[in-house]
Amino acid sequence: MKNHKLSILTFVTSLAIAAVAAWYSIIGLTAIFSAAIIPIIIMGIVLEIGKLVAASWVYTHWKETGILLRTYLVSAIVILMLITSMGIYGFLSKSHIDAGIDTGEISVKIERVDNRIKSEQRQIDRAEKNILEMDTTLDKTSYGFFDDSRLEERNKQSVEREQLNNIISKSETSIDGLLDKKSEYELEVKNFEVEVGPIKYIAALVYGDDANNYLDHTVRYVILLLIFVFDPLAVLLLIAANM
């Protein structure tokens, strides 16, 4: 009775793993062959079912099966397992690449914000320089604060001073908004760094201080480990259930 329950559990587990592997594989294959999504989905589902049925059938009828048919079915099962693994690799790689693209786009946005902040700051600097030059001109005009010539010169400068002060005020307001936006982008980058934190620790175990330079390598190795036990485990558990 216990063996019967274990067989059922093994069978159900193998189907569950196979279904998840097939799902990831089909998504990965559709990313590779994006021009034929529906045909790839149909083909993937049928081939995944065929692979499991073939593995079960070959094990059950191993002795009475001719060597030619047996060789073909085993070869087909192995090739289909490789195709499934390739699809899973494509799916997981695409997820990692997409995350990297997002951070790359954010880095570009941060750079643009920095350039706009510098541009606004240059306007402020120019406006302040013009105001300083006007103050210098005003100081040279007269020696007395209440001198008529000084008041006349200051009245002439009033419109321009107001314009320059408006430029400074607008630029400072713009810089405040840009700094807020930059903080949002930097927070997104930090969130991504938190997400890839485990990969960094894994890379650090292998590469030490150079871990940041080998993050992509580490991700590839982790994906390879996953696909090494993913689909093969499903097939072997199905065979074990037959046993």
Side-chain angles (χ1 to χ4, degrees):
M1 187 65 180
K2 289 182 179 180
N3 289 335
H4 180 67
K5 290 181 178 179
L6 182 60
S7 296
I8 293 174
L9 179 61
T10 304
F11 177 73
V12 172
T13 303
S14 67
L15 291 183
I17 295 173
V20 174
W23 172 253
Y24 290 162
S25 174
I26 290 170
I27 294 177
L29 290 174
T30 54
I32 297 172
F33 305 101
S34 57
I37 294 178
I38 301 300
I40 288 295
I41 292 174
I42 296 172
M43 182 184 69
I45 292 172
V46 172
L47 288 178
E48 288 295 330
I49 294 172
K51 177 185 65 182
L52 297 178
V53 173
S56 181
W57 191 91
V58 167
Y59 176 79
T60 305
H61 301 88
W62 181 264
K63 292 182 180 179
E64 59 265 32
T65 305
I67 187 168
L68 187 61
L69 179 59
R70 186 194 308 167
T71 302
Y72 172 77
L73 288 175
V74 171
S75 301
I77 292 167
V78 172
I79 292 171
L80 287 171
M81 288 169 63
L82 291 174
I83 292 173
T84 302
S85 298
M86 181 179 66
I88 295 171
Y89 185 89
F91 171 77
L92 295 176
S93 298
K94 184 177 181 298
S95 300
H96 176 67
I97 291 170
D98 288 344
I101 290 174
D102 290 339
T103 55
E105 290 177 352
I106 293 171
S107 297
V108 171
K109 290 178 180 178
I110 291 175
E111 186 176 352
R112 288 176 181 171
V113 169
D114 285 335
N115 290 333
R116 289 179 62 187
I117 290 173
K118 290 177 182 177
S119 178
E120 295 292 344
Q121 186 60 50
R122 283 195 294 270
Q123 289 195 50
I124 292 173
D125 293 339
R126 282 196 296 267
E128 289 179 343
K129 182 180 178 182
N130 289 336
I131 292 174
L132 183 61
E133 288 175 354
M134 284 190 289
D135 288 339
T136 303
T137 302
L138 198 63
D139 290 338
K140 291 179 180 179
T141 303
S142 173
Y143 296 100
F145 185 80
F146 295 104
D147 187 80
D148 291 339
S149 58
R150 181 185 179 92
L151 293 174
E152 184 179 352
E153 182 64 26
R154 190 169 185 85
N155 288 332
K156 289 179 182 179
Q157 296 178 356
S158 61
V159 175
E160 188 177 356
R161 281 178 181 273
E162 185 177 356
Q163 291 175 347
L164 292 171
N165 286 323
N166 287 335
I167 290 172
I168 293 172
S169 179
K170 288 179 180 179
S171 294
E172 288 177 344
T173 302
S174 180
I175 288 174
D176 290 338
L178 290 170
L179 288 174
D180 290 338
K181 191 174 291 186
K182 182 180 178 181
S183 298
E184 292 176 5
Y185 292 149
E186 289 176 341
L187 182 60
E188 291 182 27
V189 173
K190 287 181 181 179
N191 289 336
F192 173 75
E193 290 176 351
V194 171
E195 291 177 3
V196 300
I199 292 295
K200 284 187 176 181
Y201 285 113
I202 295 172
L205 287 174
V206 180
Y207 299 105
D209 295 334
D210 296 329
N212 289 332
N213 298 326
Y214 294 95
L215 290 179
D216 288 339
H217 290 78
T218 306
V219 171
R220 289 194 195 100
Y221 295 146
V222 171
I223 293 174
L224 288 173
L225 288 174
L226 285 171
I227 64 176
F228 181 76
V229 297
F230 215 138
D231 199 52
L233 179 62
V235 174
L236 293 175
L237 281 176
L238 182 62
I239 294 173
N242 280 276
M243 294 173 64

